[in-house]
Amino acid sequence: MKKIGFIGLGIMGASMAGHLIDAGYKLSVYNRTKSKADELLARGATWCDTPAECAKDQDVVITMVGYPQDVEAIYFGENGIIDSLHEGEYIIDMTTSSPILAEQLYDAAIKRGAHSLDAPVTGGDAGARDATLTILVGGDEADYEKMKPLFSVIGKNIVYEGKAGAGQKTKACNQIAIAGTLAGVCEAFAYAKASGLEIQNVYDAISKGAASSFQMTGVVRKGLEGDFNPGFMLKHFIKDMHIGDDTGKRYGIDMPVLKQVMREAEMLEADGNGTKGTQVMLKYYDSSF
């Protein structure tokens, strides 16, 4: 399978698409802002004017967009993907989106004799750039096996999670775990600063012990250095937390830690921090960071 339509060329999508070109896949691309495709077009990708055009006559269509409403629009809206699917074609949504929507995409694909996988990723911009993403896959296991060589071009830890929607549910688990960890790390350094400790000394000590985590060494560390550029935007993390909270209600589970972190993040977003990296959570606990 060599012909791929790729939709969504943001911080992560552009890198992922580039790896597929490097691996010899013939790529057609669509993005709401065409200029974001310029580098890929210079490397041989073909521009498409609509999601439907990008999906037409492809072996695989990959989507990597922002929000569940974006996924719904590009698949089911006017000039959407579903109406362009042919028998045997694969759709792979790699957006962090709703498990319920993933199930709907699967059902719509099956009705057209096509295949559907939900395959959200973790690893941020660095993982996309270095092709080391973790890919969490839901759908039919035979389809997962068929697409595994493609996944291996853009990720390293590729895990089959179960039937349609299972990839999105697993991604929700990941983001729920991150929420508490990120908040805990930020609280720790706010405490260190307030108590008069030398921040670098504290970091050197606790980042190498039981308290260490990627949120500390890969995310919050940047904020401690004054770098709030996004590897993963706060507004997208808020979206992910809402997905976890909303589906948690469906499954009858209450998650007070997630809710608290979500409220904190939304307060920061309201103050204009939505496009900064998640390390900006430091500023909730101490605005002087």
Side-chain angles (χ1 to χ4, degrees):
M1 292 190 172
K2 284 294 184 181
K3 292 176 15 180
I4 298 176
F6 200 107
I7 297 173
L9 304 174
I11 291 175
M12 297 176 68
S15 293
M16 294 159 67
H19 294 313
L20 293 170
I21 291 177
D22 291 341
Y25 290 97
K26 182 178 179 181
L27 221 65
S28 298
V29 297
Y30 170 79
N31 193 70
R32 284 183 299 190
T33 304
K34 186 178 179 181
S35 61
K36 291 186 177 181
D38 287 347
E39 182 178 342
L40 294 169
L41 298 179
R43 295 169 59 187
T46 299
W47 173 255
C48 299
D49 288 322
T50 65
E53 183 184 339
C54 198
K56 187 177 180 181
D57 299 326
Q58 304 291 346
D59 298 316
V60 182
V61 180
I62 296 173
T63 52
M64 184 66 176
V65 294
Y67 294 86
Q69 57 265 36
D70 299 322
V71 175
E72 187 169 12
I74 62 175
Y75 278 96
F76 295 112
E78 185 178 358
N79 293 314
I81 292 168
I82 294 298
D83 288 340
S84 294
L85 287 182
H86 61 76
E87 186 173 352
E89 189 171 354
Y90 284 75
I91 56 174
I92 304 174
D93 183 31
M94 305 191 80
T95 313
T96 297
S97 184
S98 160
I100 298 167
L101 181 53
E103 294 167 2
Q104 293 170 344
L105 290 175
Y106 177 86
D107 291 340
I110 291 296
K111 287 177 182 177
R112 299 186 72 91
H115 309 267
S116 176
L117 295 169
D118 51 287
V121 301
T122 72
D125 64 331
R129 186 174 59 249
D130 299 336
T132 57
L133 294 168
T134 292
I135 305 175
L136 312 166
V137 187
D140 292 340
E141 189 166 8
D143 293 340
Y144 159 77
E145 293 292 345
K146 186 83 172 180
M147 292 294 105
K148 198 169 181 181
L150 186 155
F151 289 139
S152 69
V153 172
I154 54 180
K156 292 298 183 187
N157 184 28
I158 305 159
V159 185
Y160 176 68
E161 301 293 347
K163 64 183 182 179
Q168 297 294 357
K169 292 175 186 176
T170 304
K171 180 59 184 290
C173 292
N174 187 81
Q175 303 307 78
I176 291 164
I178 283 175
T181 305
L182 175 62
V185 173
C186 291
E187 282 189 346
F189 285 106
Y191 172 88
K193 191 172 186 180
S195 66
L197 293 172
E198 173 58 48
I199 295 295
Q200 186 61 50
N201 291 346
V202 175
Y203 179 85
D204 289 343
I206 71 174
S207 67
K208 295 176 175 62
S212 185
S213 66
F214 177 77
Q215 294 308 306
M216 182 181 293
T217 61
V219 179
V220 173
R221 175 188 55 78
K222 294 197 296 184
L224 295 174
E225 295 169 354
D227 178 3
F228 293 97
N229 291 318
F232 182 47
M233 289 186 190
L234 184 70
K235 67 178 184 178
H236 290 151
F237 186 44
I238 292 170
K239 176 260 296 186
D240 293 355
M241 289 191 285
H242 272 290
I243 290 170
D245 185 43
D246 292 343
T247 54
K249 292 172 185 173
R250 183 187 186 204
Y251 306 132
I253 181 172
D254 183 42
M255 293 173 285
V257 173
L258 178 69
K259 287 184 173 68
Q260 175 62 31
V261 178
M262 190 163 60
R263 285 193 293 268
E264 295 171 4
E266 287 174 336
M267 290 174 67
L268 287 167
E269 183 182 35
D271 286 339
N273 295 294
T275 58
K276 294 179 181 176
T278 52
Q279 65 269 29
V280 78
M281 286 290 294
L282 276 167
K283 291 184 177 292
Y284 176 84
Y285 298 96
D286 187 331
S287 61
S288 67
F289 274 113

